[in-house]
Amino acid sequence: MPISVAIVGSGPAGFYTAEAIVKAIEDVEIDIIDRLPTPYGLIRFGVAPDHQTTKKVAQSYAKTAKHENVRFFGNIDIGPDISLDALREMYDAVVLAVGAPTDRKLGIPGEDKIGVYGSAAFVGWYNAHPDFLDLNPDLSGKAVAVVGVGNVAIDIARVLVKTRTEMLTSDLPDYAADAIEAGSIEDVYMFGRRGPVEAKFTNVELREMGNLEICRSVVDPAVLPDGVDPDLEMSDRDRRLKERNLATLRSFTEKEPADEQRRVHFVFYASPVEILGGDKVEGLRLERTRLEDGRAVGTGEFFDVPCDMVLPAIGYLSLPVEGAPFDERQGIVPNDDGRVEPGLYAVGWIKRGPTGVIATNRPDGVAVAGHIGEDFPAPSGKPGRAGFLDYLAQQGLRPVNFAEWERIDAAETAAAEAPTPRRKFTTTEDMLTFLEAQS
Ligand code: NAP
């Protein structure tokens, strides 16, 4: 009898864990469960539609999914379809890899106005995430304020200012491409509450902002120091990367304007204090800041920027999973290097918070694979997959298996004309109808 493992969530953290477990444990059966019919989590719904090379990492996840000891069960929602407790009754080990699906709030007045969309929702919308199709953001205004200077903020700014031609090699859904093309956005403001050295974006992403067809990146040269303060403590690597960011920002100031129709303004030392307007957003009030021990502190000087949409890109937030402990303050499942409780483990953003790149999830998976190997030298006699399949059948639930996902994938690819890589299905219903029509 194999050790039975259920992994909840099929994003990078889930797949790296499955990969590590099949390497570490010979006699194992792993079921990767996702509430959506499609695997890969943020690779499909988070990575920007024009960053197709980054999405190629899914090819290695597909290899794991096809491993003889691994099965994918899409369209099964832990909670509504089966409780975590019930899952733990069935499997020796359950690994939570559920990520951080929602948005942190700014916590300032006006956040409930029409035209304020958190990055999880907005990115989900332009990536055809079934949860966010109805967002229908109004892009008819001229100015947008993005709060935050991380990679998600840059992704959002770039997607909003690129032309349809620039997006041809992306899988931006038609409804989003149409809305952006029909929209009137001319100015996107990105607000960092600290300085350019403290900004979280990485250099490749920043450099892209200097190579846009009809958009110029703008930054006030007065906020750019000659170099990173030698007294600031950081690794040599980080220092090099920060210096590179400064050089890139400086290059924006040196480029001659060429009548670009759109502008992205990098505004530093500005912290949002209120979203202005009636029912709808009309502007953002910010306080100028200065740094004290690396933290932004207000100077008491305020300014307003008229805008029609406010997009806080200030980090994602995990949600509690019923049946698992949750640390509200840190927004994670409390754990000791991935161990939560006997038989329950956590990896990825639900384990350590919403930071790091795709590969940061790999060591999480390796650690948990090691723990499961140690904690289960032998199976405990739970039914595992057989019990899960019985339960699904009893409840009349309709899982989507990996071969079915491959059919969805092939149909999406076939529906797109080169150089566009795919036309995504946008609803679960459409995917299930497509599968039924084929069978
Ligand atoms: P992030 O890197 O943590 O950036 C969040 C930004 O929001 C920071 O500039 C932060 O400023 C700011 N912020 C937080 N709270 C704020 C507040 N109350 N008021 C004003 N500003 C506030 O998060 P992210 O951009 O969501 O990215 C999440 C992770 O995914 C990151 O590790 C990122 O690198 C990764 N990612 C990578 C890529 C890529 O590689 N291309 C693409 C997307 C995402 P402070 O620094 O002052 O807190």
Side-chain angles (χ1 to χ4, degrees):
M1 188 178 201
I3 308 282
S4 57
V5 182
I7 298 175
V8 184
S10 68
F15 267 106
Y16 285 129
T17 304
E19 183 192 288
I21 295 174
V22 289
K23 280 186 186 152
I25 306 173
E26 204 175 311
D27 197 11
V28 68
E29 120 193 317
I30 302 169
D31 293 337
I32 304 177
I33 304 167
D34 202 292
R35 74 188 182 88
L36 295 173
T38 52
Y40 311 143
L42 281 187
I43 301 300
R44 181 175 169 97
F45 296 118
V47 171
D50 57 339
H51 279 180
Q52 290 295 315
T53 313
T54 310
K55 289 180 192 264
K56 289 209 167 109
V57 67
Q59 291 168 0
S60 79
Y61 304 159
K63 273 192 201 144
T64 301
K66 289 182 188 173
H67 188 282
E68 55 183 349
N69 296 355
V70 179
R71 283 233 203 137
F72 173 71
F73 292 86
N75 197 35
I76 302 297
D77 198 356
I78 303 306
D81 290 338
I82 177 169
S83 71
L84 179 62
D85 287 347
L87 206 62
R88 291 179 69 183
E89 290 291 316
M90 286 173 195
Y91 289 86
D92 295 323
V94 174
V95 184
L96 298 175
V98 293
T102 185
D103 287 297
R104 276 187 52 217
K105 293 277 176 213
L106 276 168
I108 60 174
E111 220 168 346
D112 54 349
K113 290 190 196 306
I114 300 166
V116 183
Y117 308 109
S119 53
F122 197 75
V123 170
W125 173 73
Y126 68 56
N127 268 325
H129 191 301
D131 285 359
F132 302 110
L133 292 183
D134 296 336
L135 199 73
N136 285 330
D138 178 0
L139 306 181
S140 62
K142 284 199 157 80
V144 177
V146 179
V147 181
V149 279
N151 279 330
V152 171
I154 283 218
D155 280 348
I156 291 175
R158 191 182 67 250
V159 169
L160 285 176
V161 298
K162 270 191 168 181
T163 61
R164 197 156 193 144
T165 321
E166 282 174 298
M167 289 305 257
L168 267 186
T169 50
S170 81
D171 60 7
L172 184 71
D174 287 342
Y175 64 80
D178 291 344
I180 293 168
E181 193 176 42
S184 317
I185 295 170
E186 291 178 359
D187 290 281
V188 177
Y189 296 88
M190 287 180 53
F191 292 109
R193 61 180 169 182
R194 300 190 290 159
V197 172
E198 290 74 26
K200 296 263 176 66
F201 45 62
T202 40
N203 192 250
V204 176
E205 282 64 28
L206 184 62
R207 279 207 313 269
E208 272 186 276
M209 300 306 285
N211 296 313
L212 299 170
E213 221 169 80
I214 59 160
C215 179
R216 186 154 65 92
S217 288
V218 181
V219 60
D220 176 1
V223 302
L224 301 178
D226 290 339
V228 179
D229 181 348
D231 292 339
L232 270 184
E233 262 181 49
M234 63 178 80
S235 68
D236 288 348
R237 182 173 177 275
D238 280 351
R239 190 172 295 277
R240 263 198 321 274
L241 295 174
K242 300 287 181 192
E243 291 286 3
R244 243 178 253 166
N245 279 354
L246 287 179
T248 306
L249 287 167
R250 223 169 281 125
S251 73
F252 296 164
T253 70
E254 288 156 3
K255 216 168 167 179
E256 287 296 316
D259 281 342
E260 290 89 349
Q261 295 159 39
R262 296 177 186 155
R263 290 153 297 274
V264 169
H265 307 258
F266 289 82
V267 184
F268 295 101
Y269 303 107
S271 183
V273 292
E274 186 179 351
I275 297 167
L276 308 170
D279 290 345
K280 286 174 77 174
V281 173
E282 288 172 24
L284 182 64
R285 177 159 297 160
L286 299 111
E287 183 175 14
R288 292 202 193 280
T289 62
R290 60 185 160 76
L291 281 192
E292 250 176 42
D293 296 330
R295 293 173 62 92
V297 292
T299 60
E301 189 191 334
F302 298 87
F303 64 103
D304 294 350
V305 174
C307 61
D308 313 275
M309 206 159 66
V310 174
L311 305 174
I314 61 169
Y316 291 158
L317 191 66
S318 292
L319 295 174
V321 179
E322 201 180 329
F326 194 69
D327 178 335
E328 290 284 349
R329 202 181 53 81
Q330 294 190 73
I332 58 167
V333 167
N335 67 88
D336 179 7
D337 190 31
R339 277 191 176 103
V340 180
E341 287 174 355
L344 186 65
Y345 306 83
V347 291
W349 282 3
I350 189 79
K351 171 197 173 190
R352 56 185 162 73
T355 56
V357 293
I358 294 163
T360 315
N361 294 294
R362 193 188 276 276
D364 291 356
V366 172
V368 159
H371 298 328
I372 294 175
E374 274 169 31
D375 298 348
F376 294 94
S380 61
K382 291 184 178 178
R385 183 177 298 154
F388 186 55
L389 286 170
D390 279 351
Y391 176 92
L392 295 179
Q394 273 164 24
Q395 301 291 317
L397 293 165
R398 200 288 187 212
V400 171
N401 63 36
F402 200 74
E404 288 175 320
W405 151 248
E406 289 188 307
R407 278 162 49 201
I408 294 172
D409 185 27
E412 288 188 341
T413 315
E417 238 173 78
T420 301
R422 77 171 58 232
R423 268 214 156 71
K424 285 178 177 176
F425 282 98
T426 52
T427 67
T428 296
E429 207 184 1
D430 285 352
M431 288 184 235
L432 296 180
T433 307
F434 163 76
L435 290 175
E436 295 316 324
Q438 294 262 306
S439 56

